[in-house]
């Protein structure tokens, strides 16, 4: 018997989802050779979908995400809970027709060489609905779109090649792109590809996935006997010019993201320009026929929202931003008028490094700036060109040493410093301010040469207008390391939690089963990239010396071969130690944390710890040295969740912590109310405003919030 897990991502589609599940259950009953399980990921629906699905289909696993994760992230979360040999992505606005599942899975079993399988989608009246597959974009197809040829000669193999011509999807045929409304593959292959790219929010992610699968040697294919009825856009269908324009802008954002993901930078820029030209062409045609307020006119008007692609396009197209905010209007170069109120279009413009581009590695900045978008702030990843030529209110740097000093070639470092600070000088004449979040006062990696590090320091402290830190002790450390900053305003904005970025729903037993750990006994964990300052070899030595009745799991990729050797040597011969020295997916990180009873982070030196926040987000107690912000973190979340120690990490410290983790009463879920992103975003916005108005009144520097003070 072949096992299949069907993954459905729903968003305010209660009745459609229930109807889809009804058809799926009927089809599963007609397919005795299939063992079918169902996972429904609900992206924060407000229509009662979660309760309705649980009541109507109790056998389905329902994951309540409590927010709109987007399609790619929702699918990835669902597949992480799949148990079948095959996984099938299915839209909630579909009806599975008799024989579809058996035909699709049967073909996949008989023809494993294809790897990726789609079917035939029909409209409600039984006619072909061709969106089950598409051709890949090319410069020619985009040129046809830009000139209107793809509309004038719709479904032409020459002038509308992405439509795949007039083929009725009624024969077995290899295709470039299979859409996510009906997409089947082996779960092992899904994991090998790494799932869908979560930079995409909605539209385009399935095209990128199909093209990535083809690049890995798969041959996506359509199985015509696998038929479903598909109501296109069931979770996004809207009416009205602005709403239709918004939906089409989402599609365009997906296309722009796809081009940037798969093409070279120069070719992608040209492709996006052709997309913009196509919107303009259609907007002009609408005006010519008396529909000046049509969909494409709205898409053209919103081109600055969608053309950057995801993730920057998400807050502009998806996240609500009705709240009035304070903005600063310019009155002459370098001067600012009194604050006024405005929405997203009139709010502050921020160029951040990084903003969204590193979300796959660390969601910290993306989470911060998405929350700020809800306050009407426009945030983009840093562009030297925009900094030199366009309106920018604030430049926000996070890890300048990583931005400017990475790489082995000194001339590149010099070029980055020259370009950035040259563009910043031009922007400062228009009133731009530079804000720096000092995550660490000393770069752990000591990148580049001493001379270039000194040059970055001089340029940075000479130009920075305000500093942020994740703790009060961090402000003190920054001013001690950089005395030149003593007169610059400083603000405390804590590190937010990661609960919306990882799936921490697995019980301890289920997480241990997935990782191959025993169900009984204490498990100590250290999870994340393994760098020397994290002191993991010392953790291994102390664990072995303490000889506890416990397991120790170390999971993460070492930062160097030398660090890997130190860790392997320290763990050698001890069967209680589990090493997984490789990159950890988001789901695997969540599983390691949920499988553990205590997370130990014996840092040598640290100001802040995203790893500690991550463990607390999983509601796991943490042991850390009382250095940097760790004492303040313990005060924020309580002594039941954070235990600190003074001095060296040794066997006595570990033994006491194990007893504390085992015996200390604590609630099932850690209270992280002090680490909510909405409040942190507001505090960051307040800091921006204080820095921007500092030249007009120094009182703004002394603005205090109850838990995010400005520091004198």
């Amino acid at each position: 018997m072949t096992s299949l897990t069907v993954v459905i991502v729903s968003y305010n589609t209660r009745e459609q989802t229930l109807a889809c599940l009804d058809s799926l259950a009927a089809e599963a009953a007609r397919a005795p050779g299939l063992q079918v399980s169902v996972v429904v990921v609900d992206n924060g629906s407000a229509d009662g979908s979660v309760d309705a699905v649980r009541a109507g289909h109790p056998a389905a696993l329902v994951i309540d995400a409590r927010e709109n994760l987007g399609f790619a992230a929702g699918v990835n979360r669902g597949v992480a809970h799949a148990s079948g040999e095959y996984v099938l992505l299915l839209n909630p606005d579909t009806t599975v027709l008799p024989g579809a599942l058996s035909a699709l899975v049967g073909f996949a079993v008989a023809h494993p060489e294809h790897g990726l399988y789609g079917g035939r989608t029909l409209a409600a009246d039984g006619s072909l609905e061709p969106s089950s597959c598409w051709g890949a974009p090319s410069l020619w197809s985009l040129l046809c779109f830009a000139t209107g040829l793809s509309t004038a000669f719709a479904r032409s193999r020459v002038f509308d090649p992405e439509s795949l011509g007039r083929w009725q999807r009624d024969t077995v045929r290899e295709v470039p792109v299979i859409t996510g409304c009906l997409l089947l593959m082996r779960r092992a292959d899904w994991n090998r590809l790494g799932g869908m790219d979560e930079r995409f929010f909605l539209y385009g992610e399935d095209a990128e996935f199909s093209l990535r699968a083809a690049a890995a040697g798969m041959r996506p294919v359509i199985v015509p006997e696998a038929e479903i009825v598909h109501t296109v856009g069931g979770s996004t269908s809207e009416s009205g010019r602005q709403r239709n324009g918004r939906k089409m802008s989402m599609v365009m954002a997906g296309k722009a993201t796809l081009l940037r993901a798969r093409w070279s930078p120069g070719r992608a820029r040209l492709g996006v320009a052709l997309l913009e030209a196509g919107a303009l062409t259609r907007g002009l045609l609408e005006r010519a026929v008396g529909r000046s307020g049509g969909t494409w006119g709205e898409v053209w008007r919103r081109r600055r929202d969608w053309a950057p692609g995801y993730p920057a396009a998400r807050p502009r197209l998806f996240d609500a931003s009705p709240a009035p905010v304070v903005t600063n209007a310019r009155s002459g170069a370098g001067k600012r008028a009194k604050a006024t109120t405005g929405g997203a279009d009139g709010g502050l413009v921020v160029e951040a490094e990084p903003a969204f581009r590193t979300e796959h590695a660390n969601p910290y900045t993306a989470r911060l700036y998405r929350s700020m978008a809800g306050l009407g702030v426009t945030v983009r990843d840093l562009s030297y060109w925009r900094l030199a030529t366009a309106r920018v209110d604030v430049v926000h740097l996070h890890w300048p040493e990583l931005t400017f000093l990475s790489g082995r070639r000194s001339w590149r470092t010099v070029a980055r410093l020259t370009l950035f600070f040259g563009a910043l000088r031009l922007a400062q004449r228009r009133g731009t301010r530079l804000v720096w979040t000092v995550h660490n006062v000393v770069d752990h990696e000591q990148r580049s040469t001493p001379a270039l590090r000194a040059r970055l320091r001089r340029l940075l402290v000479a130009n920075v207008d305000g500093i942020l830190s994740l703790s009060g002790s961090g402000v003190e450390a920054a001013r001690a390391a950089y005395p030149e900053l003593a007169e610059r305003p400083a603000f405390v904005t804590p590190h937010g939690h990661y609960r919306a970025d990882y799936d921490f729903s697995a019980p301890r037993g289920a997480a241990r089963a997935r990782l191959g750990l025993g169900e009984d006994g204490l498990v100590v964990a250290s999870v994340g990239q393994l760098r020397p300052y994290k002191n993991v070899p010392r953790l291994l030595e102390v664990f072995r010396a303490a000889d506890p009745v416990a397991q120790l799991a170390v999971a993460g990729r070492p930062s160097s071969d030398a660090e890997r050797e130190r860790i392997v040597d320290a763990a050698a011969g001890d069967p209680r130690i589990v090493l997984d020295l490789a990159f950890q997916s988001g789901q695997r990180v969540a599983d390691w944390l949920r499988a553990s009873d205590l997370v130990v982070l014996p840092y040598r030196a640290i100001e802040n710890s995203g790893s500690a926040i991550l463990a607390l987000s999983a509601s796991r107690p943490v042991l850390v040295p009382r250095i940097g912000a760790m004492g303040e973190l313990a005060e924020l979340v309580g002594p039941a969740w954070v235990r600190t120690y003074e001095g060296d990490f040794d066997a006595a410290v570990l033994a006491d912590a194990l007893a504390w983790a085992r015996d200390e009463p604590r609630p099932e879920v850690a209270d992280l109310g002090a680490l909510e992103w909405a409040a942190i975003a507001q505090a960051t916005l307040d800091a921006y405003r204080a820095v921007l108005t500092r030249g007009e009144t120094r009182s703004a520097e002394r603005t205090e919030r109850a838990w995010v003070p400005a520091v004198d």
Side-chain angles (χ1 to χ4, degrees), residues 9 19 40-41 60 69 88 103 117 129 164 185 189 206 234 272 292 307 346 403 486 492 531 558 564 599 651 702:
V9 177
V40 177
V41 180
L69 302 173
L88 173 67
Y117 309 86
E129 197 289 296
L164 300 178
M185 73 185 314
D189 290 334
D206 44 11
V272 172
S292 58
T403 297
V492 176
R531 295 176 173 174
R564 179 185 294 273
V599 175
R702 304 182 187 278

Side-chain angles (χ1 to χ4, degrees), residues 25 57 83 111 113 160 171 274 412 419 456 475 491 611 638 647 656 682 687 698:
H57 293 271
S83 57
H111 302 278
E113 67 275 9
D160 188 17
T171 57
L274 291 172
R412 289 185 177 174
L419 288 171
L456 172 59
V475 171
F491 308 85
S611 295
D656 288 346
Q682 182 63 60
R698 299 184 64 83

Side-chain angles (χ1 to χ4, degrees), residues 311 315 350-373 379-381 396-399 402-403 437 439 470 494-498 501 677 680-681 684 688:
V350 178
E351 294 269 326
E353 173 52 28
F356 304 101
R357 65 177 182 80
T358 58
E359 183 175 14
H360 64 287
N362 183 351
Y364 164 77
T365 56
R367 179 61 57 185
L368 170 64
Y369 294 126
R370 287 209 181 96
S371 298
M372 295 192 74
V379 185
R380 302 174 297 208
D381 282 284
H396 192 167
L397 297 180
H398 284 273
W399 294 276
L402 185 61
T403 297
T437 293
H439 293 274
L470 307 187
H495 193 310
H497 63 72
Y498 287 120
D501 302 290
W677 284 107
I680 296 168
T684 305
Y688 289 167

Side-chain angles (χ1 to χ4, degrees), residues 539-578:
L539 168 61
L540 293 163
E541 293 167 5
V542 167
F543 179 84
R544 299 182 70 164
D547 197 28
V549 181
Q551 284 184 287
L552 171 60
V554 176
R557 181 163 53 196
S559 59
S560 66
D561 291 339
E563 185 68 7
R564 179 185 294 273
E565 290 178 10
R566 283 191 288 269
I567 292 170
V568 171
D569 290 345
D574 193 325
R576 301 169 302 163
I577 297 175
V578 178

Side-chain angles (χ1 to χ4, degrees), residues 39 64 98 152 188 200 310 360 371 386 414 511 529 587:
V39 177
D64 185 1
F200 293 80
Y310 297 122
H360 64 287
S371 298
R386 283 196 303 265
V414 173
Q529 187 175 24
Q587 186 58 54

Side-chain angles (χ1 to χ4, degrees), residues 360-361 445 526-532 534 536 554-561 563-565 567 579-585 589 592:
H360 64 287
E445 308 297 334
S526 181
V527 182
Q529 187 175 24
L530 306 176
R531 295 176 173 174
K534 293 188 176 181
V536 173
V554 176
R557 181 163 53 196
S559 59
S560 66
D561 291 339
E563 185 68 7
R564 179 185 294 273
E565 290 178 10
I567 292 170
L579 299 182
D580 188 3
L581 305 184
F583 171 78
Q584 305 293 310
S585 67
V589 166
W592 282 117

